[in-house]
Amino acid sequence: MFRTALRNVLAHKARLLMTVLAVMLGVAFVSGTLVFTNTISQAYQKSSAKGFDQVDVAVTAKYQDSEGDKVGKTPELTQALLDKAGKVPGAASATGVVTGFTAIADKDGKLLGGGWQSEGGNYWGTKDARYPLVSGHAPSGKGEILIDSKTAERAGYKVGDTVRVSVDGPVLTPRVSGIFTTDDGNVAAGGSLALFDTPTAQALFGKKGAYDEIDVKAAAGTSQTALRAALDQALPSKLVETSTGKQLADDQAQEISSSMSGLKQALLVFAGIALFVGTFIIANTFTMLVAQRTRELALLRAVGASRRQITRSVLIEAFVVGTVAGVTGLVAGVGIGAGLRSLLGSFGASVPDGPLVVTPGTVVAALAVGIVITVLAAWLPGRRAAKIPPVAAMSSVHAKATTRSLVLRNTLGALFSAAGVAVVLAATTMDADAAEGPMGLGAVLLIIGVFILTPLLSRPLIAAAAPVLRVFGVSGKLARQNSVRNPRRTAATASALMIGLTLITGMTVMAGSLQTSIDKMASSAIRADYVVSMANRSPLSPDVAKKIAADSDVTASSPLRNAVSRVDGRTEFLTGVNGSAITELTDLEVADGAFKVGGSQVVVDQDRAKDYGWKAGSQFTVHYEDGKAQKLTVAGVYEGNDMLNGIMIDNSVLTPHLSDASDMQVMVKTADGASDSVKDRLEKALGSNPAIKVQDKQDISNDIAKMFTTMLNMLYGLLGMAVIVAVLGVINTLAMSVFERSQEIGMLRAIGLDRSAVKRMVRLESLVISLFGGVLGIGLGVFFGWAAGELLGTKMATYELVLPWGRMTVFLLLAAVVGILAALWPARRAARLNMLTAIKAE
């Protein structure tokens, strides 16, 4: 039986090619994901580990938890603590570390690195071992700065050049005193690192006379563990905590691994979808191969082969196919992993140097996935073949499914579908956080149910296309009959495309609805013409709000200043605003009382009012971070949203209690309204700072739209793999169907059907099957998009369902294009059949 199985694989290698390709693509996706994430993770881990070479023990401040009316805070690492750490037995030296956001502009004034990985710090003394100088000298005073070598190379800076930098808003123009090298992972990933002398860094980052961390170097002969023990004994344990360099490197490696695991899991989910779609192709292929070899299998049974041997022979064929697909998929996956790494560079993100990582686990996973998926998908056709009695097989009595099996299938499909719909509908009534599991379960049940019911659904839906097909005459009529001749085969072929389009449509519905809802939120909640913020959403200096308020074109402005406090023993964040201007800048609906902010009067959003039992006129005591308390009165309760919410208090009341005031954004209204000229004037008033964004409501909406569009395009690309696999499935099914119907096609040719009509028949059959899958996929996608939107609506008051009719039409046309393209080769093959040879075929 083993030799028989191998002979069958070699005899049908052309027919199995599409199956191998489908499985290979899925395996390549899996192995490529593992190679890519392992390579990136290891490169970052090695790079970050080098960054701890100069750190034997790190001392950091221990956060003091909130307790009672006391606001929690992080104590300062003072110069006294630094001096004490440096004198601990076994310590060779102690370095004070200061860090913060520092944006660097290129020579054209544009922000380098997008701002998200733009860091700044301090250079210790005149020779800092952490940052070896390539050229120049250590910085001194506010007028000098060091920049890393990669940033200098990208921007074309050299020693002596003047650069534009920003820490929290105002533009600084220091001179480059030197260029250094670093193993910092952010720099390796395309970010930038700027260094000031220590006093300047402390002043710029709001750490006057204090540090973010103290790095202690061990003396010769002293281990990291021994040094840490000595520091623990010498320093106050209530204020600081210590970590060894090895521990920090291990924690960083774990953090990198965890961050990469999310990406890995996401990519593997899409690989799983592609493989799931591939199972339809495998099952279809082996079902058709078994059907074509019915008499051969019956003869084997007649001469003594057992049912188990018949099943085993089919599974051996699947094992060989899976092994070939697994090996080729692994090779392709290594190439995909290398390609993805190179692709990062084209998007402006570089990766630390390191070899391509192909672990034994990746090899085992690739082979296991290829073999297991193929064998499992082929098991049912093999089992079905073994159950056919030899006499029945020889007379083809088995060809049609029994009424009992069809009733059982339809009943099972109806039960699964009903259960899926019921669970999804029930999930839409739950809390959003609790509904994720039931929603996912319901979606799986419904997809399984629809797949089981697809043979039943195919007849009425394909029959609906009959009027259109009649236009194509005999070819159209034959195409419709061929499409419903074997409903199970049609169902399996269409379902592969259905799954991909379900996911694509569902995500498109959600993304479009969210974008519309956010546009609505911005237009309904904000009256301000502009919102000013840092490019990376870090805090703004209060000087920015002062400069804006001083502009002659500005009629009203308000910084949004965040501060932590304690209310009724709970931590609560306050939002400081300009009480006299906030009503001109916002348009929030008031549910109770009046929107008045000033003195002891505040406004609160409905959620907090409900939590605390407040209403207009209620009074409560707030405890500020400086320990002082004040009684406040709720003037009004408003309907908050994701952009504006919380307790709003006047800045004149809040600011005196803050040790380091900073703003998250500034809202601005101008005399001339929003226009390009006004925007340009505001940007110039702020020093044409590349780190500051001046956005009107449309800019804010476009920013969010860009994020959704980028994410959606990435998901389209990932799901494109499933669509490609589905296309291979259509090609495979049609090609084998043509082979199966060779005699019939020969007879049609003999009685007058010309080659072009044969081609048209196969193309129309493919088109009908693909459109059938497209209609099911789009229908399910809209349902899932609606259900997910119902959950989002509980958290977003402005959410409304928006059906993207244009895109759904494009998706349906895409399904049609898939059908036409997939039929090119099978149609050509059918038309080229020799009619006499085909008629004589068995």
Side-chain angles (χ1 to χ4, degrees):
M1 295 303 295
F2 181 75
R3 288 196 299 271
T4 302
L6 289 180
R7 179 183 59 79
N8 285 326
V9 170
L10 294 174
H12 303 120
K13 54 183 178 290
R15 296 181 224 172
L16 291 169
L17 177 62
M18 293 298 172
T19 302
V20 171
L21 283 174
V23 181
M24 184 202 76
L25 286 173
V27 173
F29 206 153
V30 171
S31 55
T33 295
L34 295 175
V35 169
F36 172 67
T37 53
N38 288 339
T39 298
I40 300 299
S41 181
Q42 189 179 97
Y44 274 115
Q45 286 175 16
K46 287 184 176 179
S47 177
S48 65
K50 290 179 183 177
F52 294 108
D53 287 347
Q54 299 299 319
V55 182
D56 287 318
V57 178
V59 180
T60 53
K62 184 185 291 185
Y63 178 74
Q64 309 296 301
D65 292 327
S66 300
E67 187 177 342
D69 296 329
K70 185 180 178 183
V71 176
K73 63 179 181 179
T74 302
E76 291 185 337
L77 295 178
T78 62
Q79 184 65 41
L81 282 173
L82 174 64
D83 295 339
K84 195 170 185 179
K87 295 175 182 178
V88 166
S93 63
T95 302
V97 179
V98 184
T99 58
F101 170 74
T102 304
I104 304 176
D106 62 18
K107 290 186 176 181
D108 295 325
K110 295 180 180 179
L111 184 63
L112 286 168
W116 296 102
Q117 293 175 315
S118 302
E119 293 293 327
N122 66 313
Y123 189 82
W124 191 253
T126 57
K127 191 174 182 181
D128 193 330
R130 299 172 300 167
Y131 308 112
L133 288 174
V134 176
S135 59
H137 59 81
S140 177
K142 291 184 178 180
E144 293 188 338
I145 190 174
L146 295 179
I147 59 174
D148 68 90
S149 56
K150 290 191 176 180
T151 298
E153 183 181 349
R154 286 202 305 270
Y157 286 127
K158 60 183 183 296
V159 174
D161 288 346
T162 298
V163 296
R164 292 167 58 82
V165 301
S166 176
V167 171
D168 58 2
V171 176
L172 306 174
T173 54
R175 183 178 61 85
V176 178
S177 67
I179 296 172
F180 64 93
T181 59
T182 178
D183 293 315
D184 188 287
N186 284 332
V187 173
S192 62
L193 180 60
L195 301 177
F196 305 89
D197 68 6
T198 299
T200 301
Q202 288 175 321
L204 289 174
F205 302 137
K207 302 286 182 183
K208 293 180 181 178
Y211 304 94
D212 293 303
E213 182 176 302
I214 296 172
D215 292 343
V216 186
K217 188 73 176 169
T222 302
S223 67
Q224 290 186 353
T225 307
L227 178 58
R228 180 185 181 185
L231 286 166
D232 286 340
Q233 190 172 3
L235 302 178
S237 59
K238 289 184 178 180
L239 298 179
V240 301
E241 52 190 355
T242 58
S243 304
T244 64
K246 182 180 183 307
Q247 180 185 340
L248 290 172
D250 291 343
D251 290 345
Q252 183 75 17
Q254 180 61 40
E255 187 178 330
I256 291 169
S257 181
S258 297
S259 64
M260 292 303 297
S261 69
L263 174 63
K264 182 187 293 185
Q265 289 171 7
L267 291 174
L268 288 176
V269 165
F270 288 99
I273 293 169
L275 285 166
F276 181 60
V277 171
T279 59
F280 293 110
I281 300 175
I282 301 165
N284 239 6
T285 301
F286 278 94
T287 298
M288 296 174 76
L289 285 175
V290 166
Q292 291 168 12
R293 287 162 35 210
T294 299
R295 294 190 179 183
E296 175 190 330
L297 295 174
L299 184 60
L300 289 172
R301 289 289 312 281
V303 297
S306 65
R307 287 186 176 183
R308 185 173 296 179
Q309 286 178 308
I310 295 295
T311 302
R312 195 182 301 147
S313 71
V314 175
L315 294 182
I316 289 171
E317 292 179 47
F319 177 82
V320 173
V321 170
T323 302
V324 172
V327 171
T328 53
L330 174 62
V331 174
V334 173
I336 289 173
L340 286 174
R341 178 174 171 172
S342 299
L343 191 63
L344 285 178
S346 66
F347 288 117
S350 56
V351 179
D353 293 332
L356 206 62
V357 178
V358 184
T359 64
T362 301
V363 176
V364 172
L367 294 176
V369 166
I371 294 170
V372 171
I373 293 292
T374 309
V375 170
L376 286 178
W379 175 77
L380 192 59
R383 184 172 174 271
R384 193 180 295 139
K387 290 175 68 176
I388 301 170
V391 175
M394 288 181 179
S395 59
S396 298
V397 174
H398 70 289
K400 294 183 179 180
T402 63
T403 303
R404 181 182 175 187
S405 69
L406 291 174
V407 170
L408 179 62
R409 178 180 181 128
N410 293 338
T411 303
L412 194 62
L415 289 174
F416 268 98
S417 298
V421 171
V423 173
V424 168
L425 292 177
T428 60
T429 63
M430 299 179 183
D431 181 74
D433 295 328
E436 291 180 4
M439 182 72 76
L441 175 63
V444 171
L445 289 174
L446 180 54
I447 288 176
I448 292 173
V450 171
F451 168 63
I452 296 173
L453 284 176
T454 306
L456 179 66
L457 297 172
S458 64
R459 288 187 179 276
L461 287 177
I462 292 175
V468 178
L469 293 174
R470 286 196 193 102
V471 175
F472 298 95
V474 175
S475 297
K477 183 178 180 181
L478 290 172
R480 184 182 65 80
Q481 291 174 348
N482 291 333
S483 300
V484 296
R485 177 185 294 183
N486 192 327
R488 288 182 175 177
R489 185 184 302 168
T490 298
T493 306
S495 295
L497 190 59
M498 176 192 78
I499 291 169
L501 285 178
T502 295
L503 295 170
I504 289 172
T505 304
M507 289 185 301
T508 303
V509 169
M510 284 183 61
S513 300
L514 276 172
Q515 181 57 50
T516 302
S517 304
I518 290 165
D519 288 347
K520 202 173 169 185
M521 184 190 299
S523 60
S524 63
I526 300 175
R527 286 180 180 171
D529 295 320
Y530 296 100
V531 175
V532 179
S533 62
M534 293 292 283
N536 70 334
R537 303 298 179 190
S538 64
L540 280 164
S541 167
D543 291 341
V544 173
K546 291 176 183 177
K547 284 185 178 181
I548 289 172
D551 192 287
S552 58
D553 292 321
V554 174
T555 58
S557 67
S558 174
L560 269 60
R561 188 164 295 168
N562 287 352
V564 67
S565 68
R566 296 285 285 177
V567 177
D568 291 347
R570 294 158 63 177
T571 297
E572 194 64 62
F573 286 91
L574 306 175
T575 301
V577 298
N578 182 349
S580 61
I582 192 65
T583 52
E584 295 181 57
L585 301 166
T586 60
D587 189 16
L588 297 166
E589 190 170 336
V590 179
D592 183 24
F595 200 94
K596 292 181 180 178
V597 181
S600 63
Q601 289 190 313
V602 300
V603 292
V604 301
D605 66 84
Q606 284 181 316
D607 289 340
R608 281 167 181 76
K610 184 179 179 181
D611 287 345
Y612 289 100
W614 294 336
K615 59 183 179 180
S618 296
Q619 292 187 325
F620 64 93
T621 301
V622 63
H623 296 266
Y624 299 107
E625 67 174 49
D626 63 356
K628 294 181 180 179
Q630 183 180 7
K631 185 166 284 189
L632 301 175
T633 301
V634 177
V637 178
Y638 66 92
E639 293 183 9
N641 54 51
D642 289 340
M643 300 182 75
L644 295 167
N645 57 58
I647 301 173
M648 291 191 189
I649 183 172
D650 195 277
N651 273 323
S652 63
V653 177
L654 176 65
T655 305
H657 300 285
L658 304 180
S659 59
D660 184 24
S662 60
D663 306 322
M664 292 311 297
Q665 58 187 33
V666 181
M667 303 178 79
V668 186
K669 194 168 185 63
T670 61
D672 298 329
S675 67
D676 291 340
S677 59
V678 173
K679 185 176 180 180
D680 288 341
R681 287 202 302 271
L682 280 175
E683 288 176 342
K684 286 177 181 177
L686 295 172
S688 300
N689 191 335
I692 291 182
K693 293 197 294 187
V694 179
Q695 297 178 298
D696 59 22
K697 285 184 278 191
Q698 190 58 50
D699 291 332
I700 294 171
S701 180
N702 290 342
D703 250 14
I704 298 169
K706 184 178 178 182
M707 179 182 69
F708 279 127
T709 303
T710 301
M711 184 174 66
L712 203 58
N713 288 338
M714 287 175 62
L715 294 175
Y716 284 163
L718 293 170
L719 286 171
M721 182 69 73
V723 175
I724 291 171
V725 173
V727 172
L728 292 175
V730 177
I731 295 172
N732 200 34
T733 300
L734 288 173
M736 297 188 73
S737 181
V738 166
F739 178 83
E740 196 176 59
R741 303 199 315 255
S742 295
Q743 191 177 54
E744 175 189 320
I745 292 170
M747 288 293 294
L748 290 171
R749 289 289 315 284
I751 60 176
L753 199 68
D754 60 21
R755 288 186 173 182
S756 61
V758 171
K759 286 183 181 180
R760 194 180 307 120
M761 175 187 72
V762 176
R763 288 171 185 161
L764 289 173
E765 180 182 349
S766 175
L767 181 63
V768 167
I769 292 172
S770 297
L771 286 175
F772 170 53
V775 168
L776 287 180
I778 292 171
L780 283 174
V782 169
F783 177 70
F784 291 139
W786 166 83
E790 288 295 297
L791 293 182
L792 290 171
T794 61
K795 291 188 174 184
M796 186 180 290
T798 56
Y799 184 86
E800 64 173 297
L801 180 68
V802 177
L803 294 181
W805 294 106
R807 289 207 174 190
M808 289 193 296
T809 302
V810 171
F811 296 155
L812 197 59
L813 291 174
L814 175 66
V817 171
V818 164
I820 293 169
L821 293 178
L824 290 178
W825 177 59
R828 185 167 176 268
R829 183 181 178 189
R832 293 181 64 185
L833 283 175
N834 183 291
M835 67 179 75
L836 295 178
T837 304
I839 290 171
K840 291 189 291 182
E842 294 186 7

